[in-house]
Amino acid sequence: MTTTLSAPHSIESLLGKEAEDLLTYKAKVSKDLLHLPGPDFVDRVWLNSDRNPQVLRNLQTLYSTGRLANTGYLSILPVDQGIEHSAGASFAPNPIYFDPENILKLAIAAGCNAVATTLGVLGSVSRKYAHKIPFIVKINHNELLTFPNQSDQVLFASVEQAWNLGAVAVGATIYFGSENSTRQIQEISQAFKRAHDLGMVTILWCYLRNNAFKEDKDYHLAADLTGQANHLGVTIEADIIKQKLPENNNGYGAVAKATGKSYGKTNERVYTDLTTDHPIDLTRYQVLNCYCGRAGLINSGGASGKNDFAEAVRTAVINKRAGGTGLISGRKTFQRPFDEGVKLFNAIQDVYLSDAVAIA
């Protein structure tokens, strides 16, 4: 059963007690270091890169679609949860989404820049929709049918298949920090090279996965560790980085302390000069690791719950004020009635359209 919620009328009311802090906070690291989103982002940032004209055209297509068209910001519907979380767990709350056409209808009705989902979903409706909304084909997944369950992103689709059905971009996940990360880095680096050769944009889900990251806090959400994952992602030429919103910091120190072993490399100035505990500072550190925003940072919306509108708008405000490029929101939108999903997307997009929410 889906939960029906009504969106309050203003960004401030959704932020509640955090409104003044989140809307007026001045970031520790100056925005002057960043390549910020804007209508000219592709020309200003990507024109002198090694991306070929077809990649630039498709990147501009992403930035020129939907309610956020020509702002430099992105609002994307991702639905790979049928594999990542199982179809039953994902779609039972709202069974209309077992039919993949409804995924496309939601993205269009909500004014999204693009829809990111599986080869099967997009392939089943590509002739009807490939010219109506940009396609992002997620080419690898972690499935949960193998017993015992495992954490390993494996290829489900090829870059050529994505190109043939009319996609403007491919997406992939790497579980950085996992025992399988070396193979995944090699696979996706090669796939991204092929995607660029064919003119497609590359988007990387830079997620962490290792039991050692779960200590007194969940350091899968640490700014320093997720920041380094982002840096690895842009190193293999991801054009856009997807990352979870950071909630803590000093994952390097926590893992070393808990295991009694040396772990990774960091610098004390990361924690004294570049970050504080404020969520905007933590997220700005993620942006810094995306080549100072040359590769746009989109944060994920997270699981569906009781306060989806407030949580989604809060994430959007933090992302925008930190210098990020947008939000990618799945379960919060499709696990509720269709019209409510549209309203939630519009509430997120309103943050990026609002002059009152400025770069910190």
Side-chain angles (χ1 to χ4, degrees):
M1 182 177 179
T2 54
T3 300
T4 301
L5 297 174
S6 296
H9 297 296
S10 71
I11 294 169
E12 290 84 355
S13 62
L14 283 162
L15 294 175
K17 295 179 180 179
E18 289 187 288
E20 182 176 1
D21 179 46
L22 291 178
L23 293 174
T24 64
Y25 182 77
K26 183 176 180 180
K28 191 173 183 68
V29 173
S30 173
K31 64 182 179 182
D32 294 338
L33 291 181
L34 305 180
H35 301 276
L36 295 171
D40 62 341
F41 187 75
V42 174
D43 285 338
R44 175 165 40 89
V45 175
W46 287 110
L47 196 62
N48 292 319
S49 72
D50 65 353
R51 305 328 191 245
N52 66 43
Q54 289 82 9
V55 175
L56 298 182
R57 179 196 60 210
N58 282 326
L59 192 59
Q60 187 64 57
T61 297
L62 285 175
Y63 281 111
S64 301
T65 302
R67 287 188 76 222
L68 298 183
N70 305 314
T71 64
Y73 292 106
L74 298 171
S75 172
I76 298 173
L77 170 63
V79 189
D80 58 357
Q81 286 87 350
I83 299 174
E84 298 284 340
H85 300 280
S86 91
S90 299
F91 304 136
N94 197 357
I96 67 169
Y97 291 107
F98 278 105
D99 183 344
E101 185 171 9
N102 288 317
I103 295 171
L104 279 294
K105 288 180 177 179
L106 175 61
I108 292 170
C112 292
N113 298 72
V115 58
T117 185
T118 67
L119 175 71
V121 166
L122 294 174
S124 70
V125 294
S126 64
R127 288 185 182 275
K128 185 174 182 180
Y129 290 100
H131 58 296
K132 295 178 181 177
I133 187 168
F135 285 3
I136 302 166
V137 177
K138 186 71 165 31
I139 60 173
N140 69 348
H141 304 283
N142 180 56
E143 54 86 14
L144 290 179
L145 196 58
T146 299
F147 184 85
N149 287 164
Q150 58 187 357
S151 293
D152 188 11
Q153 291 283 332
V154 297
L155 290 169
F156 272 59
S158 70
V159 172
E160 283 77 9
Q161 286 174 300
W163 185 83
N164 283 331
L165 59 78
V168 304
V170 296
T173 299
I174 292 176
Y175 283 155
F176 291 106
S178 74
E179 62 182 10
N180 302 305
S181 64
T182 298
R183 189 205 80 243
Q184 292 169 16
I185 291 168
Q186 293 171 336
E187 286 179 350
I188 301 309
S189 178
Q190 292 173 1
F192 279 7
K193 169 62 167 60
R194 182 58 177 152
H196 280 155
D197 287 345
L198 292 174
M200 289 186 289
V201 176
T202 57
I203 304 175
L204 189 62
W205 281 236
C206 291
Y207 286 173
L208 301 175
R209 193 70 88 246
N210 195 304
N211 287 335
F213 298 157
K214 294 181 179 180
E215 302 301 337
D216 60 310
K217 302 175 183 177
D218 186 356
Y219 290 100
H220 290 93
L221 305 175
D224 56 350
L225 299 184
T226 55
Q228 180 59 20
N230 292 356
H231 196 79
L232 295 176
V234 291
T235 300
I236 62 171
E237 294 204 326
D239 303 320
I240 297 168
I241 297 293
K242 180 191 176 189
Q243 184 57 267
K244 296 179 180 180
L245 198 72
E247 295 182 3
N248 52 62
N249 209 355
N250 201 8
Y252 283 111
V255 172
K257 181 179 178 180
T259 61
K261 299 178 180 179
S262 176
Y263 172 61
K265 290 280 188 180
T266 188
N267 187 295
E268 184 60 28
R269 282 169 287 194
V270 170
Y271 313 103
T272 58
D273 296 355
L274 302 181
T275 63
T276 67
D277 291 335
H278 198 283
I280 291 174
D281 284 329
L282 297 178
T283 307
R284 178 150 295 180
Y285 188 69
Q286 290 184 340
V287 175
L288 284 173
N289 278 280
C290 294
Y291 291 167
C292 289
R294 286 181 181 272
L297 172 69
I298 52 176
N299 287 121
S300 53
S304 182
K306 294 181 179 180
N307 301 306
D308 284 344
F309 276 91
E311 291 176 1
V313 167
R314 179 181 185 272
T315 302
V317 167
I318 293 169
N319 172 272
K320 182 181 181 182
R321 298 211 67 224
T325 299
L327 223 59
I328 185 164
S329 187
R331 285 169 287 173
K332 288 183 185 301
T333 58
F334 69 75
Q335 288 187 338
R336 63 178 64 257
F338 188 95
D339 290 345
E340 290 286 337
V342 171
K343 288 179 182 178
L344 195 147
F345 264 121
N346 291 166
I348 291 169
Q349 294 155 2
D350 287 345
V351 170
Y352 294 98
L353 293 170
S354 174
D355 292 334
V357 183
I359 308 299

